[in-house]
Amino acid sequence: MRARAPKRLQSNLVEAAAKSKELIVRPTVAKAGLEKFLSKLKNVSMLNADPKIVAGKNFKTIFESNDADLVICRTFDEMKAAKTAGKTFGYYKKVLSNADVDEIERASQAGASFVVVDANDWKIIPLENIIAKLHKSRTKVYTTASSSKEVKTMFSVLELGVDGVILSTDSEDEVEKAGQQLSTVRFPIKVARITEVKDVGTGERVCVDTASMMGMGEGMLIGSRSNFMLLVHNESVGSSFTSPRPFRVNAGAVYCYTITPDGNTRYLSELESGAEVWIVNREGQSRRATVGRSKIETRPLRLLRAEIEGETGTVILQNAETIRLMKPDGKLLSVTEVKPGDEVMGYAKPASGRHFGMEVDEYIVEK
Ligand SMILES: O=C(O)C(=O)C[C@@H](O)[C@H](O)[C@H](O)COP(=O)(O)O
């Protein structure tokens, strides 16, 4: 069972929309349902709709009309007229060939603030070419999508992604899901003081092998409680005995929690190919990564108990040199070296319950 992001977990964290990216909604609801639909949209400031129809609704508009905040032009003559009228204007183009890509580049050179790239069959490669040509210009690249999944893909084309996506939809859930692609979470990372280190026999631990390369300072938040986690570093640091595995976090025992981008917690044992996890750095900045594989194997385990500003919690990790925590000065500390009194980085908040990963306001004691 997967559920929508519980608001309370998200509100404890600082949600930050990626600044330069925009989600624009093109409402496809019937006129009678428009008012209700618009009233439910959160974190959307721009509509691809006739300004006459959405006047007074507190949205900016991008449309083929001189009344729009951003005027979409379909010809170079229209662009000239919009420029003369002092409007912010852009160029719409259906892209079917490289000649269309060249035309988009010319529109940018002619002063278009944005281009709306409408592509049907071949979408990714033409957009890659257009982003490569325009990413150093002042012209924003917008494209169209009809689902939140498509929005996600468009925002990651050629790593840079498009600057905006116009999502045609009549579903506020789809708008919310698409909006989640734009937001990252800043976790309030704090100093955790280790209070106990104990070898706890063998058990199953999970190596989370992601489809992303991690660098120094990045890892995953892992804990026995959803509200108390330590930052477990990735394996980009090799040793004389091991090669680096920069895509991997040897994360912890199967029962441990991590927080995922949908705002829920997941047990490490639940993470499988295709799942999404947060990669977090010691400043608390997060980015999404997709799990490629998780490896569950039986290994010796070590329990760490720690304290963060009055909250205590534990985590059980594999007891081996390759599993490292992060110290406040950024240096790494291997699980095999850690001792009471050491300081590492972690995340804590007051206790709350969890039901199928969703945060629930109920009495709960986790030891
Ligand atoms: O088996 C172990 O012990 C480990 O899991 C340590 C890991 O942290 C390390 O990544 C592992 O030894 C490498 O295994 P490989 O299957 O990727 O070669």
Side-chain angles (χ1 to χ4, degrees), residues 205 207 235 245 248 250 295 299 318 322-323:
R205 66 91 180 98
C207 279
E235 289 196 10
R245 302 277 187 266
R248 169 175 300 163
N250 185 331
K295 282 207 307 180
R299 291 289 184 272
Q318 181 183 339
T322 45
I323 296 91

Side-chain angles (χ1 to χ4, degrees), residues 286-306:
S286 59
R287 64 186 174 103
R288 292 171 163 78
T290 301
V291 175
R293 160 189 56 235
S294 57
K295 282 207 307 180
I296 302 181
E297 291 160 312
T298 306
R299 291 289 184 272
L301 301 177
R302 179 164 272 196
L303 177 145
L304 308 181
R305 192 181 300 276

Side-chain angles (χ1 to χ4, degrees), residues 206 252-257 266-272 294 296:
V206 186
V254 276
Y255 80 94
C256 287
Y257 280 130
R266 294 289 288 274
Y267 295 116
L268 293 181
S269 57
E270 282 183 340
L271 294 177
E272 58 185 22
S294 57
I296 302 181

Side-chain angles (χ1 to χ4, degrees), residues 3-51:
R4 278 171 46 196
K7 297 290 178 289
R8 278 163 286 129
L9 171 63
Q10 299 286 25
S11 62
N12 167 265
L13 308 171
V14 182
E15 269 191 88
K19 283 196 182 58
S20 56
K21 307 275 176 194
E22 281 172 85
L23 177 66
I24 299 161
V25 174
R26 179 184 178 85
T28 57
V29 285
K31 215 172 169 186
L34 185 65
E35 178 123 19
K36 192 172 167 211
F37 175 74
L38 295 182
S39 71
K40 291 189 174 163
L41 298 188
K42 295 181 201 97
N43 303 321
V44 173
S45 57
M46 177 96 70
L47 298 178
N48 177 212
D50 189 338

